[in-house]
Amino acid sequence: MPLSEQEQRLLDEMERSLYGHDADFVSTAGSKRGRPSYRSIALGALLAIVGIGGLIVAVMLKQPLFGIVGFAAMLAGVLVAITPSKKAAPAAAPSGEFFAQPAKAKGGSSSSPSSSFMDRMGERWDRRDGGEQ
């Protein structure tokens, strides 16, 4: 179900506010979202399979040392498979033009563009509470 125009505007405003006020958080959270490469997935799967094989051999031979090595190989394989590629492009900083403050909407608030999102929402709540729309 698509969002209404008002909900879409509110969502866009929240996003701009997040980029404006928490740019450090956005850049650190965005930079960790690289995609794993196919090579690392294949290598990790192969290493995990070798680890499972080592674990099975350790159980058959009743050798706990082989079991520990097999488990470590399985764990390393999974970590290699899910680790993002180092070639991933760093997250670009949002440009000021795209995330600029929007123009006043119809019947918009009299608040300045520099006021925070929560202040504007508080003002809107107070106007609704007072019977204004």
Side-chain angles (χ1 to χ4, degrees):
M1 182 169 141
L3 297 175
S4 70
E5 186 177 320
Q6 181 182 5
E7 291 170 335
Q8 187 64 42
R9 273 187 284 145
L10 183 61
L11 184 62
D12 291 340
E13 188 175 338
M14 289 169 56
E15 183 178 339
R16 280 189 297 274
S17 177
L18 175 66
Y19 277 110
H21 296 295
D22 295 332
D24 293 335
F25 170 73
V26 170
S27 66
T28 57
S31 66
K32 293 182 181 179
R33 295 189 186 264
R35 292 186 58 170
S37 68
Y38 291 115
R39 176 177 273 169
S40 65
I41 291 173
L43 181 63
L46 182 66
L47 194 55
I49 291 170
V50 168
I52 290 172
L55 196 58
I56 291 171
V57 168
V59 169
M60 288 184 346
L61 297 177
K62 296 181 183 175
Q63 295 292 326
L65 184 61
F66 286 142
I68 293 171
V69 171
F71 180 78
M74 285 185 342
L75 181 64
V78 169
L79 290 176
V80 166
I82 65 172
T83 302
S85 173
K86 290 182 175 37
K87 295 179 185 177
S95 66
E97 182 178 299
F98 182 76
F99 293 103
Q101 292 292 333
K104 280 188 192 177
K106 295 178 187 173
S109 67
S110 60
S111 64
S112 68
S114 63
S115 65
S116 74
F117 172 73
M118 293 305 291
D119 291 339
R120 290 190 307 265
M121 296 308 300
E123 289 172 10
R124 288 177 64 186
W125 182 262
D126 290 341
R127 280 186 292 161
R128 279 189 194 150
D129 196 31
E132 299 176 23
Q133 190 66 8

